[in-house]
Short mmCIF file of all heavy atoms in Angstrom, two decimals:
data_model
loop_
_atom_site.label_atom_id
_atom_site.label_comp_id
_atom_site.label_asym_id
_atom_site.label_seq_id
_atom_site.Cartn_x
_atom_site.Cartn_y
_atom_site.Cartn_z
N LEU A 6 98.15 162.42 -19.52
CA LEU A 6 97.22 163.18 -18.66
C LEU A 6 95.75 162.87 -19.12
O LEU A 6 94.85 162.81 -18.29
CB LEU A 6 97.43 164.60 -18.70
CG LEU A 6 98.86 165.14 -18.05
CD1 LEU A 6 99.02 166.53 -18.19
CD2 LEU A 6 98.93 164.67 -16.61
N ASP A 7 95.50 162.72 -20.46
CA ASP A 7 94.31 162.32 -21.02
C ASP A 7 93.86 160.99 -20.57
O ASP A 7 92.59 160.79 -20.12
CB ASP A 7 94.26 162.51 -22.52
CG ASP A 7 92.92 162.48 -23.08
OD1 ASP A 7 91.93 163.03 -22.46
OD2 ASP A 7 92.72 162.18 -24.25
N LEU A 9 94.87 159.48 -17.69
CA LEU A 9 94.66 159.63 -16.23
C LEU A 9 93.29 160.22 -16.05
O LEU A 9 92.53 159.73 -15.09
CB LEU A 9 95.73 160.51 -15.68
CG LEU A 9 97.08 159.84 -15.39
CD1 LEU A 9 97.95 160.78 -14.82
CD2 LEU A 9 96.87 158.60 -14.48
N LEU A 10 92.85 161.35 -16.75
CA LEU A 10 91.49 161.84 -16.54
C LEU A 10 90.37 160.78 -16.90
O LEU A 10 89.38 160.71 -16.22
CB LEU A 10 91.42 163.02 -17.40
CG LEU A 10 92.06 164.44 -16.92
CD1 LEU A 10 91.81 165.61 -17.89
CD2 LEU A 10 91.55 164.71 -15.52
N ILE A 13 90.25 158.44 -13.87
CA ILE A 13 89.56 159.03 -12.75
C ILE A 13 88.03 159.17 -12.92
O ILE A 13 87.30 158.87 -12.10
CB ILE A 13 90.13 160.47 -12.54
CG1 ILE A 13 91.55 160.41 -12.05
CG2 ILE A 13 89.34 161.32 -11.66
CD1 ILE A 13 92.32 161.80 -11.98
N VAL A 18 86.23 158.85 -8.85
CA VAL A 18 86.96 159.30 -7.64
C VAL A 18 87.29 160.76 -7.84
O VAL A 18 87.20 161.28 -8.94
CB VAL A 18 88.28 158.47 -7.57
CG1 VAL A 18 88.01 157.00 -7.30
CG2 VAL A 18 89.27 158.68 -8.70
N SER A 19 87.61 161.43 -6.73
CA SER A 19 88.01 162.88 -6.82
C SER A 19 89.42 163.02 -7.34
O SER A 19 90.33 162.29 -6.98
CB SER A 19 87.82 163.41 -5.36
OG SER A 19 88.35 164.66 -5.34
N ILE A 20 89.45 164.03 -8.09
CA ILE A 20 90.77 164.47 -8.76
C ILE A 20 91.75 164.85 -7.60
O ILE A 20 92.92 164.86 -7.68
CB ILE A 20 90.70 165.40 -9.77
CG1 ILE A 20 92.00 165.50 -10.61
CG2 ILE A 20 90.38 166.88 -9.33
CD1 ILE A 20 91.79 166.42 -11.93
N TYR A 21 91.16 165.42 -6.47
CA TYR A 21 92.01 165.88 -5.35
C TYR A 21 92.41 164.72 -4.36
O TYR A 21 93.14 165.05 -3.47
CB TYR A 21 91.14 166.88 -4.57
CG TYR A 21 90.79 168.13 -5.32
CD1 TYR A 21 89.59 168.28 -6.02
CD2 TYR A 21 91.74 169.17 -5.64
CE1 TYR A 21 89.26 169.35 -6.70
CE2 TYR A 21 91.50 170.31 -6.25
CZ TYR A 21 90.23 170.32 -6.95
OH TYR A 21 89.85 171.51 -7.57
N ASP A 22 91.87 163.53 -4.45
CA ASP A 22 92.18 162.38 -3.69
C ASP A 22 92.44 161.19 -4.60
O ASP A 22 91.56 160.25 -4.56
CB ASP A 22 91.12 162.26 -2.63
CG ASP A 22 91.53 161.20 -1.50
OD1 ASP A 22 92.78 160.84 -1.47
OD2 ASP A 22 90.79 160.68 -0.87
N ILE A 23 93.37 161.12 -5.35
CA ILE A 23 93.57 160.09 -6.37
C ILE A 23 94.04 158.80 -5.63
O ILE A 23 95.06 158.79 -5.01
CB ILE A 23 94.57 160.56 -7.38
CG1 ILE A 23 94.11 161.80 -8.06
CG2 ILE A 23 94.77 159.54 -8.46
CD1 ILE A 23 94.99 162.37 -9.12
N TRP A 56 106.59 157.69 -13.16
CA TRP A 56 106.18 158.58 -12.07
C TRP A 56 105.09 158.05 -11.15
O TRP A 56 105.22 158.25 -9.98
CB TRP A 56 105.80 159.95 -12.76
CG TRP A 56 105.67 161.02 -11.76
CD1 TRP A 56 106.32 161.11 -10.51
CD2 TRP A 56 104.77 162.25 -11.86
NE1 TRP A 56 105.85 162.31 -9.97
CE2 TRP A 56 104.93 162.90 -10.77
CE3 TRP A 56 103.99 162.68 -12.89
CZ2 TRP A 56 104.39 164.25 -10.55
CZ3 TRP A 56 103.37 163.88 -12.63
CH2 TRP A 56 103.53 164.72 -11.59
N ARG A 77 101.09 163.63 -4.05
CA ARG A 77 100.22 163.63 -5.22
C ARG A 77 99.88 165.15 -5.66
O ARG A 77 99.21 165.29 -6.73
CB ARG A 77 98.92 162.91 -4.99
CG ARG A 77 99.07 161.45 -4.50
CD ARG A 77 97.92 160.83 -4.06
NE ARG A 77 97.39 161.46 -2.76
CZ ARG A 77 96.18 161.15 -2.18
NH1 ARG A 77 95.50 160.32 -2.68
NH2 ARG A 77 95.96 161.79 -1.09
N ASP A 78 100.41 166.10 -4.85
CA ASP A 78 99.90 167.49 -5.17
C ASP A 78 100.41 167.96 -6.52
O ASP A 78 99.61 168.53 -7.24
CB ASP A 78 100.56 168.43 -4.10
CG ASP A 78 99.88 168.19 -2.79
OD1 ASP A 78 98.84 167.63 -2.74
OD2 ASP A 78 100.36 168.70 -1.77
N GLU A 79 101.54 167.57 -6.99
CA GLU A 79 101.96 168.03 -8.38
C GLU A 79 101.27 167.40 -9.37
O GLU A 79 100.96 168.08 -10.44
CB GLU A 79 103.55 167.78 -8.46
CG GLU A 79 104.14 168.15 -9.85
CD GLU A 79 105.56 167.92 -9.97
OE1 GLU A 79 106.27 167.33 -8.96
OE2 GLU A 79 106.09 168.15 -11.06
N LEU A 80 100.82 166.16 -9.19
CA LEU A 80 100.04 165.48 -10.22
C LEU A 80 98.74 166.06 -10.35
O LEU A 80 98.19 166.22 -11.40
CB LEU A 80 99.98 163.99 -9.88
CG LEU A 80 99.16 163.08 -10.85
CD1 LEU A 80 99.71 162.99 -12.20
CD2 LEU A 80 98.96 161.69 -10.20
N VAL A 81 98.07 166.39 -9.18
CA VAL A 81 96.87 167.06 -9.09
C VAL A 81 96.81 168.34 -9.85
O VAL A 81 95.89 168.68 -10.70
CB VAL A 81 96.33 167.29 -7.75
CG1 VAL A 81 95.04 168.09 -7.72
CG2 VAL A 81 96.06 165.74 -7.08
N GLU A 82 97.93 169.19 -9.64
CA GLU A 82 97.93 170.40 -10.30
C GLU A 82 98.06 170.32 -11.86
O GLU A 82 97.51 170.97 -12.58
CB GLU A 82 99.15 171.24 -9.83
CG GLU A 82 99.12 171.68 -8.23
CD GLU A 82 100.31 172.39 -7.85
OE1 GLU A 82 101.32 172.54 -8.58
OE2 GLU A 82 100.35 172.74 -6.70
N ARG A 83 98.82 169.36 -12.25
CA ARG A 83 98.99 169.07 -13.70
C ARG A 83 97.60 168.60 -14.28
O ARG A 83 97.31 169.12 -15.44
CB ARG A 83 100.08 168.03 -14.00
CG ARG A 83 101.51 168.62 -13.59
CD ARG A 83 102.57 167.56 -14.23
NE ARG A 83 103.87 168.10 -13.89
CZ ARG A 83 104.94 167.46 -14.51
NH1 ARG A 83 104.84 166.52 -15.37
NH2 ARG A 83 106.20 167.89 -14.24
N LEU A 84 96.97 167.75 -13.58
CA LEU A 84 95.64 167.26 -14.17
C LEU A 84 94.64 168.38 -14.14
O LEU A 84 93.92 168.56 -15.17
CB LEU A 84 95.14 166.16 -13.23
CG LEU A 84 95.85 164.89 -13.37
CD1 LEU A 84 95.35 163.84 -12.36
CD2 LEU A 84 95.62 164.13 -14.81
N LEU A 85 94.59 169.31 -13.19
CA LEU A 85 93.69 170.45 -13.20
C LEU A 85 93.93 171.32 -14.36
O LEU A 85 93.11 171.82 -15.04
CB LEU A 85 93.75 171.10 -11.87
CG LEU A 85 93.23 170.42 -10.67
CD1 LEU A 85 93.41 171.16 -9.43
CD2 LEU A 85 91.73 170.14 -10.85
N ALA A 86 95.27 171.69 -14.58
CA ALA A 86 95.63 172.58 -15.66
C ALA A 86 95.31 171.93 -17.05
O ALA A 86 94.78 172.61 -17.90
CB ALA A 86 97.11 172.84 -15.52
N TYR A 87 95.51 170.65 -17.17
CA TYR A 87 95.26 169.97 -18.36
C TYR A 87 93.74 169.94 -18.60
O TYR A 87 93.33 170.18 -19.84
CB TYR A 87 95.76 168.51 -18.48
CG TYR A 87 95.49 167.75 -19.55
CD1 TYR A 87 96.13 167.97 -20.88
CD2 TYR A 87 94.40 166.84 -19.61
CE1 TYR A 87 95.79 167.25 -21.98
CE2 TYR A 87 94.10 166.09 -20.73
CZ TYR A 87 94.75 166.28 -21.91
OH TYR A 87 94.41 165.66 -23.09
N ARG A 88 93.01 169.79 -17.52
CA ARG A 88 91.51 169.68 -17.69
C ARG A 88 91.01 171.03 -18.16
O ARG A 88 90.03 171.11 -18.97
CB ARG A 88 90.75 169.26 -16.43
CG ARG A 88 89.44 168.97 -16.59
CD ARG A 88 88.75 168.48 -15.27
NE ARG A 88 88.76 169.37 -14.17
CZ ARG A 88 88.29 169.11 -12.86
NH1 ARG A 88 87.69 167.93 -12.81
NH2 ARG A 88 88.46 170.05 -11.94
N ARG A 89 91.52 172.13 -17.63
CA ARG A 89 91.08 173.43 -17.94
C ARG A 89 91.40 173.75 -19.49
O ARG A 89 90.59 174.23 -20.13
CB ARG A 89 91.73 174.56 -17.16
CG ARG A 89 91.27 174.65 -15.67
CD ARG A 89 91.74 175.84 -15.05
NE ARG A 89 93.18 175.93 -14.81
CZ ARG A 89 93.79 175.34 -13.78
NH1 ARG A 89 93.12 174.85 -12.76
NH2 ARG A 89 95.22 175.51 -13.64
N VAL A 90 92.54 173.31 -19.94
CA VAL A 90 93.06 173.53 -21.29
C VAL A 90 92.05 172.67 -22.23
O VAL A 90 91.57 173.13 -23.18
CB VAL A 90 94.43 173.15 -21.57
CG1 VAL A 90 94.78 173.18 -23.03
CG2 VAL A 90 95.31 174.11 -20.75
N LYS A 91 91.70 171.42 -21.83
CA LYS A 91 90.86 170.68 -22.54
C LYS A 91 89.46 171.20 -22.65
O LYS A 91 88.85 171.27 -23.78
CB LYS A 91 90.88 169.23 -21.97
CG LYS A 91 90.15 168.19 -22.89
CD LYS A 91 90.29 166.83 -22.27
CE LYS A 91 89.58 165.76 -23.10
NZ LYS A 91 89.74 164.34 -22.65
N GLU A 92 88.90 171.73 -21.52
CA GLU A 92 87.54 172.25 -21.53
C GLU A 92 87.56 173.54 -22.46
O GLU A 92 86.67 173.83 -23.21
CB GLU A 92 87.21 172.64 -20.18
CG GLU A 92 86.94 171.41 -19.28
CD GLU A 92 86.60 171.73 -17.86
OE1 GLU A 92 86.67 172.99 -17.54
OE2 GLU A 92 86.21 170.89 -17.10
N LEU A 93 88.60 174.42 -22.39
CA LEU A 93 88.80 175.48 -23.30
C LEU A 93 88.79 175.19 -24.70
O LEU A 93 88.26 175.78 -25.57
CB LEU A 93 89.90 176.45 -22.90
CG LEU A 93 90.18 177.74 -23.66
CD1 LEU A 93 88.87 178.59 -23.56
CD2 LEU A 93 91.34 178.38 -23.18
#
Side-chain angles (χ1 to χ4, degrees):
L6 293 177
D7 196 23
L9 282 178
L10 284 179
I13 290 173
V18 296
S19 172
I20 196 173
Y21 298 98
D22 188 17
I23 302 174
W56 189 24
R77 301 170 296 178
D78 289 345
E79 183 180 355
L80 178 62
V81 172
E82 293 179 1
R83 292 194 180 189
L84 285 172
L85 290 175
Y87 177 77
R88 188 175 66 177
R89 287 193 295 268
V90 172
K91 188 174 182 179
E92 291 174 352
L93 180 59

